[in-house]
Amino acid sequence: MSAFSKAEYAARLARVKASMGEAGADVLVLADPASLNYLTGYDGWSFYVHQYVVVIGDREQPLWIGRGMDAPGARLTSWLDEDSLVAYPESHVDSETLHPAALVAGELLRRKLGSARIGVEMDSWYYTAQAHAELVAGLPSARFVNAHRLVGWARIVKSPAEIAMMRGAADIVSEAMKVGIDAVAPGVRECDAVAEIMAAQVHGTAGFWGDYPAALPSVPSGAKSAAPHLTWSGDRYEQDSVAYLELGGCHNRYHAALARTVYLGRPPDHLLKLAAVVEEGLETALEAARAGVTCEEVEAAWRAVITRAGYEKASRIGYSIGLNYPPDWGERTASLREGDRTVLRPDMCFHMILGMWEDDRGFELSETFRVTENGSPEVMTRFPRDLVIKA
Amino acid sequence: MSAFSKAEYAARLARVKASMGEAGADVLVLADPASLNYLTGYDGWSFYVHQYVVVIGDREQPLWIGRGMDAPGARLTSWLDEDSLVAYPESHVDSETLHPAALVAGELLRRKLGSARIGVEMDSWYYTAQAHAELVAGLPSARFVNAHRLVGWARIVKSPAEIAMMRGAADIVSEAMKVGIDAVAPGVRECDAVAEIMAAQVHGTAGFWGDYPAALPSVPSGAKSAAPHLTWSGDRYEQDSVAYLELGGCHNRYHAALARTVYLGRPPDHLLKLAAVVEEGLETALEAARAGVTCEEVEAAWRAVITRAGYEKASRIGYSIGLNYPPDWGERTASLREGDRTVLRPDMCFHMILGMWEDDRGFELSETFRVTENGSPEVMTRFPRDLVIKA
């Protein structure tokens, strides 16, 4: 039931093992659900308890170490054999005294890896301070290496099978945007618009079933649109206000994201001007996003356009996107921003998101694109780029 | 725009400060989004970057320390004054070298708290190993105390205002269950059933707008129902199979949860027997869940019923529920299981979830309840408890 072929998982693992060599790690103890999925196929909403995948340099298969209750899920979704699945007992769930990471340490000792160099994902949301402390205490002779982004960098160039999933995700989010634009109207409760959008995201399309996006629809209006990450409430959309929609689409944990802005009424001139500048900036930056160019060069192309028009933007204009779990569909590796010298390579995928938040309102425009071998990128999401006017 | 009165936040803070005294902490550095919300009202889907609330024993207001982009959201949703909001720059987002926790350390040094005893939530998903390492490195004279569950224990007894929200959440999930039972049918794609359920969860009711539950609908069928935490796919429900629905309802981040099992066809006798035993066990355990009783005594009441009938269950039968964020609506404090001697007090709320997973199928039955002053609990969720048969 794994989402990819065994050959694809083998290629991923070979790439990760090569990076381990460079990073000086004999063993990786991974806790990020995206790392677990990427290397083993394991997929479940079980990351509210501790779970790990352990990559050992000279062992063919990684070990999955998780809650006993979740071992059947590992059997169903991963490509691992039974002797690579290690289940821990219920006593170690939400306990004050018994921690699953201590069992991971025990498993490594048992396998004579107590003196190994161990790579850990120091800044992953699912690798807690306590998990690290338990591992360090349980392996006093080991050496620890920060391998936080090691699997993330291995993920950044997508395979044809991954790109097919992202195109499906892009279809889903392009459809969901239509539903959302229709649903947002004066007098409608925010929650009711979001409900329609979420249904569209999860129905998916005839060809691609909708998986849950790693972040929620963001559909704020009016003053709330100036605060980028507020979620919805029962407030109603008002006439003569701006709203934007930032949505994800997901298929088999692969994402595409898309943002558009709508004005409920006759838009003020300054908003029309902003919309035109941002659209020109988007086109210019997309045009610049070619293999061989750096992330910061893409951002510079955008910045030249908006600076000329008298605008500025402090935050990054995009990030690598693909496989992920809540709370983030971004891959936390390359960002389109000043100082990021990552060189674009074919089959990297980015969400270019141009968010312009001012004191009293926000504006967003985005696309998800794939870097191509030659020339301008493949824009996977499809929706007209103009400010949407619902008068 | 905070969800509760300023007096309610003041009472929460007083309770937390009293616990700090007992735990030997002068300062708390909190990273769990539920802790942030509970003490300040702050609410946003911004926990994919580092953010903190710092409680200082002798300062009236906590400090919110977050990404600059999210300060407008803190202004809109928290009760804090401007001088309690500390914004960090964009350079510290997903950076290889600059970590927001280092800025927290700097803020504490600036406030002459470099030698304080600092409580941290060691096992919170949002307090990473790296965040802790940065804080320890930045505060070499401080002493660190594990305060992982400190705010969680302060949350366990609910106020009347919180209970009103949970009753609203229970209304929502009871409605969503109806929608789900209607949607699950042979030939229907799992994703299409889940889409209808999610729409119902987020529409909410006329009185209570639907917030996003901290965990997804779980609606597996057939062999997949034996793996408790698999999410849906595009597979179709099959005739003559069992499916269960474990759903959350949420209002203003407060949850109720509800599970029921459905059989698509004429159920086998062994399933009917299991359903009857579990229902009796639920009634017996609910009857036992009175103020003054311990968590493990509630579980023992359940176990007596199922043991007599020849069944066993290794995992806990419930947990404290209320305010939370993904990935978990449980509060990670009290569990209804052997060895948990937490004494039930009035206005504690639990999700009692009886999941019976066997090799080839799962079965679930649950209710969300509130412990009352006298007598049996208030069951907030409402749906018939029998196995649902769709022949």
Side-chain angles (χ1 to χ4, degrees), chain A residues 1 42-51 67 69-70 72-74 76-77 90-96 99 121-133 146 149 153 189-196 198-200 202-212 214-216 223-224 226-235 253 313-316 326-328 331-333 335 337 357, chain B residues 1 42-51 67 69-70 72-74 76-77 90-96 99 121-133 146 149 153 189-196 198-200 202-212 214-216 223-224 226-235 253 313-316 326-328 331-333 335 337 357:
Chain A
M1 217 173 89
Y42 179 67
D43 182 28
W45 189 281
S46 53
F47 40 87
Y48 71 92
V49 298
H50 292 278
Q51 53 181 16
R67 186 181 185 184
M69 182 187 284
D70 294 320
L76 282 167
T77 62
E90 200 60 21
S91 54
H92 285 61
V93 173
D94 284 350
S95 161
E96 297 266 1
H99 199 286
E121 297 176 297
M122 286 294 287
D123 211 30
S124 161
W125 301 118
Y126 296 92
Y127 189 63
T128 66
Q130 186 71 30
H132 186 59
N146 185 2
R149 291 180 173 81
W153 285 114
R189 293 192 306 177
E190 294 169 1
C191 61
D192 293 328
V194 172
E196 298 304 315
M198 285 175 78
V202 173
H203 277 301
T205 64
F208 295 92
W209 59 271
D211 204 346
Y212 60 94
L216 295 170
K224 284 201 279 186
H229 299 115
L230 292 194
T231 49
W232 62 87
S233 73
D235 291 350
R253 309 303 325 126
K313 172 173 168 61
S315 48
R316 62 183 175 180
D328 195 0
E331 294 187 315
R332 303 182 72 192
T333 49
S335 289
R337 66 176 163 192
W357 299 283
Chain B
M1 216 174 87
Y42 179 68
D43 183 26
W45 190 280
S46 53
F47 40 87
Y48 70 92
V49 298
H50 291 278
Q51 52 183 16
R67 186 181 184 182
M69 182 187 285
D70 294 320
L76 282 167
T77 61
E90 200 61 20
S91 54
H92 285 60
V93 173
D94 284 349
S95 160
E96 296 267 1
H99 199 286
E121 298 176 298
M122 286 294 287
D123 211 30
S124 161
W125 301 118
Y126 297 92
Y127 189 61
T128 65
Q130 186 70 31
H132 187 58
N146 185 2
R149 292 178 172 82
W153 285 113
R189 292 192 307 178
E190 293 169 1
C191 60
D192 293 328
V194 172
E196 297 305 315
M198 287 175 77
V202 173
H203 278 301
T205 64
F208 294 92
W209 59 270
D211 204 346
Y212 60 94
L216 295 171
K224 284 201 277 186
H229 299 115
L230 291 194
T231 49
W232 62 86
S233 74
D235 291 350
R253 308 303 325 126
K313 172 174 166 61
S315 49
R316 61 183 177 181
D328 196 359
E331 293 187 316
R332 302 183 73 192
T333 48
S335 289
R337 66 177 162 192
W357 299 283

Side-chain angles (χ1 to χ4, degrees), chain B residues 18 30 33 52 80 87 100 112 115 169 187 198 202 215 233 246 268 276 279 281 285 292 317 331 371:
Chain B
L30 303 169
Y52 304 92
L80 303 180
K112 314 252 180 278
S115 307
M198 287 175 77
V202 173
S233 74
E246 182 178 341
E279 189 174 337
I317 65 161
E331 293 187 316
V371 179

Side-chain angles (χ1 to χ4, degrees), chain B residues 245-328:
Chain B
L245 299 89
E246 182 178 341
L247 312 180
C250 186
H251 180 67
N252 263 322
R253 308 303 325 126
Y254 281 81
H255 292 78
L258 180 63
R260 290 293 182 269
T261 300
V262 57
Y263 196 85
L264 304 175
R266 221 191 104 195
D269 287 345
H270 69 86
L271 188 63
L272 289 168
K273 184 196 160 198
L274 175 69
V277 171
V278 172
E279 189 174 337
E280 186 192 343
L282 175 72
E283 280 159 14
T284 305
L286 281 173
E287 197 52 40
R290 290 160 183 253
V293 164
T294 63
C295 283
E296 68 174 0
E297 287 168 336
V298 176
E299 194 272 343
W302 145 265
R303 191 148 31 84
V305 172
I306 64 163
T307 305
R308 206 162 53 225
Y311 295 98
E312 54 184 45
K313 172 174 166 61
S315 49
R316 61 183 177 181
I317 65 161
Y319 43 78
S320 181
I321 188 170
L323 169 72
N324 222 336
Y325 284 85
D328 196 359

Side-chain angles (χ1 to χ4, degrees), chain A residues 333-379:
Chain A
T333 49
S335 289
L336 303 174
R337 66 176 163 192
E338 205 171 350
D340 192 322
R341 303 212 168 100
T342 308
V343 176
L344 300 193
R345 284 185 286 156
D347 299 325
M348 287 183 176
C349 297
F350 288 86
H351 181 216
M352 182 181 285
I353 165 88
L354 307 168
M356 306 292 283
W357 299 283
E358 301 193 350
D359 282 351
D360 57 342
R361 57 111 198 90
F363 176 92
E364 287 192 359
L365 180 68
S366 88
E367 300 285 7
T368 297
F369 69 87
R370 176 180 74 85
V371 179
T372 59
E373 282 290 341
N374 289 298
S376 49
E378 171 192 348
V379 178

Side-chain angles (χ1 to χ4, degrees), chain B residues 47-69:
Chain B
F47 40 87
Y48 70 92
V49 298
H50 291 278
Q51 52 183 16
Y52 304 92
V53 157
V54 179
V55 180
I56 300 169
D58 56 8
R59 189 178 197 275
E60 189 220 332
Q61 296 193 0
L63 301 175
W64 175 93
I65 303 181
R67 186 181 184 182
M69 182 187 285

Side-chain angles (χ1 to χ4, degrees), chain A residues 105-383:
Chain A
E107 190 67 32
L108 292 180
L109 287 175
R110 207 174 64 75
R111 291 170 186 270
K112 315 253 180 274
L113 291 164
S115 306
R117 298 168 304 169
I118 298 175
V120 289
E121 297 176 297
M122 286 294 287
D123 211 30
S124 161
W125 301 118
Y126 296 92
Y127 189 63
T128 66
Q130 186 71 30
H132 186 59
E134 299 275 351
L135 209 56
V136 168
L139 295 166
S141 306
R143 223 172 71 212
F144 288 86
V145 177
N146 185 2
H148 170 216
R149 291 180 173 81
L150 190 150
V151 179
W153 285 114
R155 279 155 54 200
I156 195 166
V157 172
K158 271 68 179 174
S159 72
E162 289 177 297
I163 287 165
M165 293 204 185
M166 293 187 66
R167 287 190 186 124
D171 285 356
I172 293 171
V173 74
S174 302
E175 286 299 315
M177 181 61 71
K178 276 184 216 155
V179 170
I181 296 282
D182 282 349
V184 172
V188 170
R189 293 192 306 177
E190 294 169 1
C191 61
D192 293 328
V194 172
E196 298 304 315
I197 293 165
M198 285 175 78
Q201 288 171 319
V202 173
H203 277 301
T205 64
F208 295 92
W209 59 271
D211 204 346
Y212 60 94
L216 295 170
S218 175
V219 192
S221 74
K224 284 201 279 186
S225 71
H229 299 115
L230 292 194
T231 49
W232 62 87
S233 73
D235 291 350
R236 288 170 197 280
Y237 292 104
E238 288 180 16
Q239 181 67 31
D240 298 321
S241 71
V242 68
Y244 64 79
L245 300 89
E246 182 178 339
L247 311 180
C250 187
H251 180 68
N252 263 323
R253 309 303 325 126
Y254 280 81
H255 292 79
L258 180 64
R260 290 293 183 269
T261 300
V262 55
Y263 196 86
L264 303 175
R266 219 191 105 195
D269 287 345
H270 69 85
L271 188 63
L272 289 168
K273 183 194 161 201
L274 175 67
V277 171
V278 172
E279 190 175 336
E280 186 193 341
L282 174 72
E283 280 160 13
T284 305
L286 281 174
E287 198 51 41
R290 290 160 185 254
V293 164
T294 63
C295 283
E296 69 173 359
E297 288 169 336
V298 176
E299 196 273 344
W302 145 265
R303 190 148 32 83
V305 172
I306 65 163
T307 304
R308 205 162 54 223
Y311 295 99
E312 54 184 46
K313 172 173 168 61
S315 48
R316 62 183 175 180
I317 64 162
Y319 44 78
S320 181
I321 189 170
L323 169 71
N324 222 336
Y325 284 85
D328 195 0
W329 55 49
E331 294 187 315
R332 303 182 72 192
T333 49
S335 289
L336 303 174
R337 66 176 163 192
E338 205 171 350
D340 192 322
R341 303 212 168 100
T342 308
V343 176
L344 300 193
R345 284 185 286 156
D347 299 325
M348 287 183 176
C349 297
F350 288 86
H351 181 216
M352 182 181 285
I353 165 88
L354 307 168
M356 306 292 283
W357 299 283
E358 301 193 350
D359 282 351
D360 57 342
R361 57 111 198 90
F363 176 92
E364 287 192 359
L365 180 68
S366 88
E367 300 285 7
T368 297
F369 69 87
R370 176 180 74 85
V371 179
T372 59
E373 282 290 341
N374 289 298
S376 49
E378 171 192 348
V379 178
M380 294 192 272
T381 38
R382 290 176 321 284
F383 203 84

